[in-house]
Amino acid sequence: MKFATFKRTAAAFALIAAATGAQAQDWKPKGPVKMMIAFSAGGGADTLGRLLAEEINTRYGWEIIPENAPGKGGLTAGVALKDEPADGETIGVTVSEVLTYSIQTMRKPPYQLDDFTYISTLAGSQMGIIAKPARGWETLADVIAAAKGGEKITVGAMSQRLADATYVLGKNNGVEFTTVMTGGGKASLNAVVADDVDIGWSAGAQTAAVQAGEITNLASAEAEPLLMQPDAPLVQDFNLPYNFGIKFVVLAPAGIPQEAREAWEHHIAEILNDPESKLTQFTQRAFAGPNVVQGAALEAYLQDSYDAETALLDASAE
């Protein structure tokens, strides 16, 4: 089932969410809310989820109990969440890649896009392809030239999606890269710093190192320039016509009551629109600020991402 293709900008929708949420009924959970976080403690999704829970508990008197449900790259939490009661009292925190890419790699996907109600994004990534300035490469063009000159280039990738992207990047530019799987964005960054790989993918963990001059972004893997290094070219400039950014998403089982969805949307937008909230301040440090996309705009984003991942998988299989 395809979602509607209505779109809004994230900034505009943040304001709309705050306005319409004020008219939401006085819905609130009857008891403790279970928050299923799709990844292990200490990562971006975990920190975002726990800060959101803390803010809502403090501001609105709800009781949200976060619990980590890691496994299979986020799929385990999705499988469990899908079968929870659709009453608005169980939510999840995950990343868009789990919803749009991972399930397409499986012969029998454990869930589909329409198995969930999508409540809100919290933040987006700052995905780039990085290297140490000491290597002498200023952009991805220099790396491709080095590979064409016979140099063997190893690439750190923290997911199969980015491994596929590395393969397609090489194929589309007439070179071959050697992919090394890493454990996450920080692990990919650390591998580059330690010279375990030549270049790597990183989704924002590189920010402080870039600001310190220890790392450079050879290209932005987002649909737009990176805020930390806006002069870096886009991967689309190198025959890789996809957006590899991700968003952190709050979701619930499909079919929760509309008043519950509106209450969640309103509270999340209100918190992220408050520059003094701990959640907003964390997104500013780690993800270049909050990202609030809700309703039809969020559904359209996920459907568009799903379709783009289909194209990437097709290209990687050729």
Side-chain angles (χ1 to χ4, degrees):
M1 167 175 140
K2 294 248 183 184
F3 290 122
T5 56
F6 172 62
K7 299 181 181 179
R8 296 175 179 149
T9 66
F13 204 89
L15 298 176
I16 293 170
T20 58
Q23 301 172 8
Q25 298 352 4
D26 295 327
W27 184 91
K28 61 182 180 180
K30 297 176 182 177
V33 172
K34 181 192 299 184
M35 173 187 281
M36 304 176 66
I37 301 172
F39 300 94
S40 301
D46 179 66
T47 304
L48 288 166
R50 291 180 183 277
L51 286 174
L52 175 63
E54 178 184 340
E55 293 277 3
I56 289 182
N57 290 349
T58 300
R59 290 175 183 238
Y60 309 111
W62 296 9
E63 183 182 3
I64 301 177
I65 303 175
E67 58 180 52
N68 297 95
K72 298 183 179 179
L75 288 166
T76 297
V79 171
L81 180 64
K82 176 176 71 74
D83 293 329
E84 288 286 327
D87 54 11
E89 298 188 16
T90 302
I91 63 169
V93 178
T94 190
V95 296
S96 54
E97 180 177 330
V98 178
L99 303 163
T100 60
Y101 171 86
S102 300
I103 58 174
Q104 296 198 66
T105 66
M106 307 177 74
R107 186 169 297 178
K108 293 183 178 181
Y111 54 78
Q112 298 292 339
L113 273 179
D114 57 5
D115 283 324
F116 303 102
T117 298
Y118 298 100
I119 295 171
S120 183
T121 58
L122 300 175
S125 63
Q126 285 282 285
M127 185 77 75
I129 300 179
I130 62 173
K132 292 170 70 172
R135 298 304 301 266
W137 298 323
E138 294 186 1
T139 75
L140 197 53
D142 298 323
V143 178
I144 293 169
K148 287 184 175 179
E151 188 170 347
K152 293 184 178 180
I153 306 294
T154 55
V155 185
M158 59 271 201
S159 71
Q160 185 57 50
R161 174 183 179 234
L162 298 179
D164 288 344
T166 301
Y167 168 75
V168 175
L169 174 66
K171 182 185 71 170
N172 289 355
N173 287 279
V175 299
E176 289 187 14
F177 297 120
T178 299
T179 300
V180 177
M181 300 305 295
T182 62
K186 287 185 178 179
S188 183
L189 170 63
N190 291 339
V192 171
V193 171
D195 294 319
D196 294 331
V197 296
D198 298 306
I199 65 175
W201 298 80
S202 188
Q206 75 273 32
T207 302
V210 170
Q211 293 170 344
E214 300 167 352
I215 287 291
T216 187
N217 287 287
L218 301 169
S220 167
E222 304 277 340
E224 59 279 322
L226 296 170
L227 296 177
M228 73 184 86
Q229 193 173 343
D231 60 338
L234 305 181
V235 292
Q236 289 89 338
D237 298 331
F238 302 98
N239 301 314
L240 192 62
Y242 309 102
N243 173 15
F244 296 97
I246 60 172
K247 294 188 186 298
F248 294 87
V249 181
V250 179
L251 69 170
I256 68 171
Q258 182 62 23
E259 60 268 24
R261 180 177 185 170
E262 290 178 358
W264 278 109
E265 289 175 346
H266 170 63
H267 291 338
I268 291 171
E270 187 171 65
I271 291 167
L272 287 173
N273 284 329
D274 179 3
E276 302 300 320
S277 77
K278 292 181 181 179
L279 179 59
T280 299
Q281 292 176 359
F282 173 72
T283 66
Q284 290 170 341
R285 293 193 303 271
F287 303 107
N291 181 278
V292 186
V293 186
Q294 299 179 347
L298 177 52
E299 293 175 355
Y301 165 79
L302 291 169
Q303 184 64 64
D304 290 346
S305 297
Y306 185 96
D307 294 341
E309 305 293 21
T310 301
L312 173 64
L313 283 164
D314 289 345
S316 68
E318 294 174 356

